[in-house]
Amino acid sequence: MTGMSGQGSQETLTVQRHSDDRAMSTDDPVACLIFEVKSIQSFIFFSGRLRDAIGGSELIDRLTNHKAKDNLLDAVLAATQASGIEFPRRAGGAFYAFCRDHGVLDRFADLWLLAVQQAAPSLGFVLGRGKGDSFPNAFLKAQIDLRSHNSRERTHYPIPVPIAERARRTGRVAVQRDSKDGAIDVVTQRNKPFADLSQAGFIHRYSPPEAHLKWEDWPRSLETEDVDGFPFVRGMRDVAMIHADGNGMGQVLIKISETVKQNSKDFLKIYETFSQAVEKSTCHGAQQAAREVLLPMRQKGELLAARPILLGGDDVIVLVRADLALAYIQAFARAFEEESRRQLQELTKLEVKGLPDKLTLGFGVAFIGASQPFSMAVTLAESLMSHAKTRAKQSGVQDIAPSSVVFYRVTTALMEDYSALVKKVLTHYEGEADDGDTNSLSRRRAYIHTLGTYVLSADKNVGSLPRLSDLEALTALLQGENMARGPVRGLLNLLQLDPAQARTSWRRWRQLLHDKQPQKLSEFDQRLQALMPRYQPDADLPYALCDDGHSHQEFCSPLGDALELLALDHRALATIQQQEVMV
């Protein structure tokens, strides 16, 4: 095989054939094979180095993507001389394969399992097989088989012996000594050949065609002194780890399933159209975000202030300079929604009914320092994204959950779970806990310094969630002249130290603002009410009952979020918004 070239170890690999496949009737006219990569993030960020992550992303892309040069799937097809196999989906580390010749598909599956384990050792994946009297039935059986093996763990090769040397970064058994990194494991060994950005393929899907960007235009290091380092400004070395994933995909697949049950002859065409629709929408979103945000903020002689990590289907991971991150995701979401609206019309032409008007995205944005471990940051970003998607589904919007974001700026020890982070870092409790009463905490008043999920959409109907644009307006107000932000900033700490003093300080701040700038105070209250409809200006603190609170004792405020944006120097976003207004 010529695909997926790269130096590797000679570890023993396994192929498992499912006994239930052998029991299936050979009279079934259609055989189906489903392959999906699992835990892509853990594989990509295995060594914790940006360059290795870039190589891992390229390796994943070259497994199944038909546009990727020397992709493994085409190499396996050529080696088995397989013909008659149809792929309605083959992207993002996954494929659906159908064939009427069961033997051909079995031979392909055997070699594919060997090849993918050799090409990407320790990569988690799951494979399902099914046979039926029609494409939908074979696909359904393959899905059932896939789910039955979803929790199966595969052996990691090579298996270490007690005296084996270990790679310093990963703790896995070493298979090679690198001139720069010393002893490295087999995953790092496999990723390194693909870190050669001159051959990178997936990165071009982030680039607007008219910009003629090359791999040299993107940073490869987080060190400012490096020639290929991130273009940080004003001494700030904060970056945003952004993880995005699509909403509503399940809804569309349900509608597709209902359609193909009635009209199985268009099965392959419908699934292929949907796969292409998602890929085109995601690429359009990435390119438009680069066009609107990255290129205008690029200074002469600088690299772009972002580093693409993954773009597969609707799954996106990208590093962006912190001050541009929220502008980037807003441009991305807007373009993704616009393109998905056009693409879903192609499914409507195939008589798929009941589709949403568009697709949307959930974003998790973890702001970290450039020296912090971004392998942990991507886990946090995934947790933030999952929370954003869950809350968006609960927003009350009937058609489809709106595009939304949860962001967090890491200022203490890096935690990977957002729910735990809210309880331990973003919440202050008022009242004494009774150690003898296990329910005492539920009766304490909790002040949560974030509203959590913000909606990105400009549509009127966004349900019960606050808008990111309203938070930005509040941030701009606090950033203005003659706004004493010290008491606002100190309020969060005072709540923990002395709640009574916090209330006194807050009343004093409001009184001074009322006496000197009553119009500013009125605007401030309007901004808070836009974000928190339950907020009362005469309240003793700038908090209101949480919409998603499990208790009448939970109060939330957007001030913590606004102060974090101020700390990240949000002026770049204001500049871009001003440019948009002028246009």
Side-chain angles (χ1 to χ4, degrees):
M1 290 185 291
T2 59
M4 302 293 290
S5 59
Q7 184 180 6
S9 63
Q10 301 299 317
E11 67 270 16
T12 303
L13 301 176
T14 61
V15 177
Q16 177 172 339
R17 300 290 298 273
H18 303 315
S19 58
D20 53 340
D21 291 337
R22 300 304 190 188
M24 292 181 181
S25 171
T26 56
D27 295 331
D28 292 331
V30 180
C32 174
L33 186 70
I34 302 177
F35 172 84
E36 293 181 359
V37 170
K38 296 170 54 181
S39 304
I40 292 179
Q41 290 81 9
S42 61
F43 179 82
I44 290 176
F45 294 97
F46 194 75
S47 73
R49 295 191 63 182
L50 179 58
R51 292 179 185 273
D52 294 340
I54 294 169
S57 299
E58 183 68 17
L59 190 155
I60 294 291
D61 193 58
R62 293 196 192 189
L63 289 180
T64 62
N65 195 316
H66 68 282
K67 295 180 180 179
K69 180 182 178 182
D70 294 332
N71 69 81
L72 184 65
L73 187 52
D74 283 345
V76 172
L77 287 171
T80 56
Q81 299 181 343
S83 61
I85 302 179
E86 299 181 85
F87 295 90
R89 179 193 180 193
R90 47 172 300 182
F95 65 74
Y96 302 156
F98 293 85
C99 188
R100 295 186 181 277
D101 189 327
H102 303 179
V104 168
L105 195 61
D106 284 341
R107 289 194 299 274
F108 163 75
D110 287 347
L111 185 55
W112 172 256
L113 284 172
L114 282 171
V116 75
Q117 291 179 93
Q118 179 69 32
S122 297
L123 175 65
F125 63 86
V126 61
L127 185 135
R129 305 172 190 243
K131 297 177 182 179
D133 56 3
S134 64
F135 285 105
N137 288 341
F139 184 60
L140 177 61
K141 290 181 179 179
Q143 285 181 309
I144 294 173
D145 188 48
L146 186 84
R147 288 192 293 269
S148 69
H149 295 90
N150 197 44
S151 59
R152 175 177 172 234
E153 291 293 332
R154 296 182 179 273
T155 303
H156 297 298
Y157 296 98
I159 298 175
V161 297
I163 60 172
E165 184 177 3
R166 303 281 180 157
R168 291 180 301 170
R169 285 184 169 271
T170 65
R172 291 282 184 87
V173 61
V175 298
Q176 180 182 329
R177 185 167 295 279
D178 185 79
S179 58
K180 291 184 178 180
D181 299 330
I184 60 174
D185 60 82
V186 68
V187 177
T188 307
Q189 180 199 52
R190 279 301 192 184
N191 289 347
K192 279 185 175 296
F194 297 99
D196 179 4
L197 295 182
S198 63
Q199 302 180 26
F202 83 95
I203 197 171
H204 296 300
R205 299 202 290 276
Y206 277 88
S207 307
E210 74 279 3
H212 304 292
L213 296 175
K214 300 179 181 178
W215 65 270
E216 298 99 326
D217 294 302
W218 302 90
R220 280 84 70 193
S221 170
L222 294 175
E223 300 300 328
T224 53
E225 60 270 16
D226 292 346
V227 177
D228 55 359
F230 242 77
F232 294 110
V233 293
R234 293 183 291 276
M236 297 184 63
R237 299 188 67 250
D238 292 315
V239 294
M241 179 67 74
I242 300 174
H243 190 171
D245 194 42
N247 294 315
M249 302 300 171
Q251 293 177 247
V252 176
L253 289 173
I254 289 174
K255 299 302 179 182
I256 288 176
S257 177
E258 293 173 352
T259 300
V260 297
K261 287 179 181 177
Q262 306 296 325
N263 183 15
S264 61
K265 66 181 179 64
D266 289 331
F267 179 93
L268 297 178
K269 180 63 176 177
I270 289 174
Y271 273 96
E272 182 180 10
T273 301
F274 176 60
S275 179
Q276 291 178 354
V278 174
E279 182 178 0
K280 290 178 180 178
S281 299
T282 307
C283 289
H284 182 72
Q287 292 171 7
Q288 189 63 21
R291 186 180 290 116
E292 290 185 23
V293 180
L294 300 182
L295 290 173
M297 298 303 296
R298 185 185 189 185
Q299 301 299 317
K300 185 177 181 180
E302 280 187 350
L303 302 178
L304 293 164
R307 172 67 251 179
I309 302 295
L310 177 68
L311 185 67
D314 60 329
D315 198 9
V316 177
I317 301 177
V318 57
L319 269 176
V320 178
R321 201 173 67 202
D323 59 308
L324 303 178
L326 296 187
Y328 183 90
I329 66 170
Q330 289 178 89
F332 198 122
R334 183 171 59 253
F336 177 88
E337 291 179 11
E338 292 172 354
E339 183 63 23
S340 69
R341 183 180 283 110
R342 290 189 289 267
Q343 293 298 326
L344 288 179
Q345 292 175 1
E346 298 300 316
L347 283 174
T348 303
K349 294 176 183 178
L350 294 172
E351 300 183 357
V352 181
K353 300 178 180 179
L355 294 173
D357 180 53
K358 61 184 178 183
L359 298 175
T360 60
L361 292 166
F363 290 87
V365 182
F367 293 102
I368 61 171
S371 61
Q372 291 179 295
F374 57 85
S375 57
M376 296 177 66
V378 76
T379 304
L380 173 59
E382 184 178 13
S383 178
L384 298 172
M385 177 269 295
S386 297
H387 186 84
K389 293 181 62 174
T390 299
R391 286 288 295 126
K393 291 178 183 178
Q394 300 168 352
S395 64
V397 178
Q398 296 298 319
D399 185 26
I400 190 171
S403 291
S404 59
V405 62
V406 175
F407 65 86
Y408 177 72
R409 178 171 169 252
V410 178
T411 57
T412 58
L414 185 53
M415 302 174 63
E416 297 175 310
D417 180 70
Y418 179 66
S419 298
L421 189 151
V422 170
K423 293 179 181 179
K424 295 181 179 180
V425 180
L426 297 178
T427 303
H428 288 162
Y429 294 95
E430 183 180 6
E432 296 295 331
D434 181 2
D435 293 337
D437 184 358
T438 56
N439 297 319
S440 62
L441 285 179
S442 64
R443 295 201 302 268
R444 297 171 66 188
R445 177 167 290 196
Y447 291 98
I448 305 172
H449 311 319
T450 178
L451 295 187
T453 304
Y454 290 90
V455 170
L456 302 177
S457 175
D459 294 344
K460 293 182 178 180
N461 181 23
V462 294
S464 60
L465 295 177
R467 296 177 187 270
L468 183 61
S469 58
D470 289 330
L471 176 65
E472 290 169 344
L474 174 64
T475 303
L477 178 64
L478 291 174
Q479 195 176 28
E481 296 182 2
N482 303 320
M483 286 293 289
R485 297 188 296 273
V488 177
R489 192 180 305 276
L491 178 70
L492 305 185
N493 293 328
L494 276 176
L495 272 174
Q496 184 178 26
L497 300 174
D498 190 340
Q501 186 179 349
R503 288 177 170 82
T504 301
S505 175
W506 180 247
R507 287 194 297 268
R508 185 185 302 117
W509 182 84
R510 289 186 59 86
Q511 185 62 48
L512 289 173
L513 198 60
H514 177 270
D515 294 342
K516 296 182 178 180
Q517 299 186 76
Q519 185 177 356
K520 287 265 184 161
L521 179 60
S522 176
E523 184 180 357
F524 176 79
D525 288 334
Q526 290 174 11
R527 298 300 184 195
L528 285 184
Q529 285 182 322
L531 290 160
M532 302 183 297
R534 297 182 182 183
Y535 169 71
Q536 298 296 326
D538 57 353
D540 58 354
L541 289 171
Y543 289 76
L545 281 170
C546 302
D547 288 333
D548 62 337
H550 302 294
S551 167
H552 65 281
Q553 297 287 70
E554 290 184 345
F555 294 81
C556 300
S557 174
L559 287 181
D561 297 326
L563 292 174
E564 294 294 14
L565 296 190
L566 285 173
L568 291 165
D569 192 359
H570 218 43
R571 283 175 289 179
L573 174 59
T575 301
I576 293 172
Q577 290 176 330
Q578 184 178 7
Q579 292 173 348
E580 291 178 349
V581 172
M582 294 175 62
V583 173

